[in-house]
Amino acid sequence: MQQDDHPSNPHPDPAPGSQPEPPPSPQRRSRTIQDGPAPIPRSRLEARIDRIAERAHPATWPLSLAAVALAGAALLHFVDPNEPGNYPTCPWLLLTGTFCPGCGTMRAVALLTHLDAPGALGMNPLLVLLLPFLAYTYLRWLIRALRPRARPPEPGSTWIVWTILVSFVVFWIARNLPWFSFLAPGTPLLPTW
């Protein structure tokens, strides 16, 4: 047998007495740049979770969030966040001694479950002012999950996102300044009669 040294034949004939080399299997061949990154091996549990998530009805996610929110509100209704030791202290307040935009949120939600809107406004005015927007956004999500459209929804305006982000930062800074101390948690914003 004569070996062909022509470049178009990448596998020359084997030498006499040797066994031919098997072609490389897809699992053993080396990866090239064109192949892209190597796939991440997935566990059985991750694959099972993915299959369950794909089969779930689209309304599962907003309804699950509502169930978690109602359970949290019920917990705050029955276990008072004003009593020391019931809930952990805000990590930001513990480390820096200043209020974050979320300080007073648990107490505000607890007061809202007792229908005390002025008290909730005194704990975290930003949360109370954002509640209508949060409710509207949630209801839109739920309706779209229950009645999906044939075409995907158009992306929202970026100015809304920027407005909320800037509001959070301004509120965060202002509630820690002495001139705006009325924004600190526990300061009544409305007069009590």
Side-chain angles (χ1 to χ4, degrees):
M1 291 173 99
Q2 187 178 16
Q3 286 188 346
D4 186 11
D5 291 333
H6 194 272
S8 65
N9 186 1
H11 304 289
D13 294 334
S18 68
Q19 295 208 353
E21 193 174 306
S25 67
Q27 293 88 6
R28 290 184 50 209
R29 77 176 176 85
S30 62
R31 298 190 63 76
T32 62
I33 294 175
Q34 291 84 12
D35 292 339
I40 299 171
R42 302 178 59 83
S43 70
R44 280 190 199 168
L45 179 63
E46 289 173 330
R48 185 178 229 178
I49 290 171
D50 286 345
R51 282 195 305 272
I52 291 171
E54 288 170 1
R55 284 187 281 169
H57 190 278
T60 302
W61 311 119
L63 293 175
S64 298
L65 178 66
V68 169
L70 287 174
L75 178 68
L76 289 171
H77 181 80
F78 294 111
V79 181
D80 189 11
N82 290 312
E83 293 179 16
N86 284 343
Y87 299 99
T89 304
C90 170
W92 180 264
L93 180 63
L94 193 62
L95 291 173
T96 65
T98 60
F99 300 115
C100 74
C103 281
T105 299
M106 283 199 312
R107 291 176 284 169
V109 171
L111 289 167
L112 285 173
T113 63
H114 292 283
L115 304 178
D116 184 5
L121 193 63
M123 287 297 170
N124 194 325
L126 185 63
L127 170 75
V128 176
L129 293 175
L130 279 177
L131 279 178
F133 173 74
L134 293 174
Y136 169 75
T137 305
Y138 175 79
L139 287 175
R140 247 177 94 184
W141 180 32
L142 180 62
I143 289 169
R144 285 185 180 165
L146 292 172
R147 295 182 183 173
R149 295 182 181 175
R151 56 189 172 116
E154 296 178 16
S157 301
T158 56
W159 70 268
I160 294 173
V161 176
W162 281 107
T163 303
I164 292 173
L165 183 65
V166 168
S167 301
F168 266 89
V169 172
V170 167
F171 179 69
W172 190 348
I173 293 170
R175 75 185 322 198
N176 289 297
L177 296 175
W179 308 286
F180 299 102
S181 62
F182 60 91
L183 295 175
T187 308
L189 285 178
L190 300 174
T192 55
W193 291 283

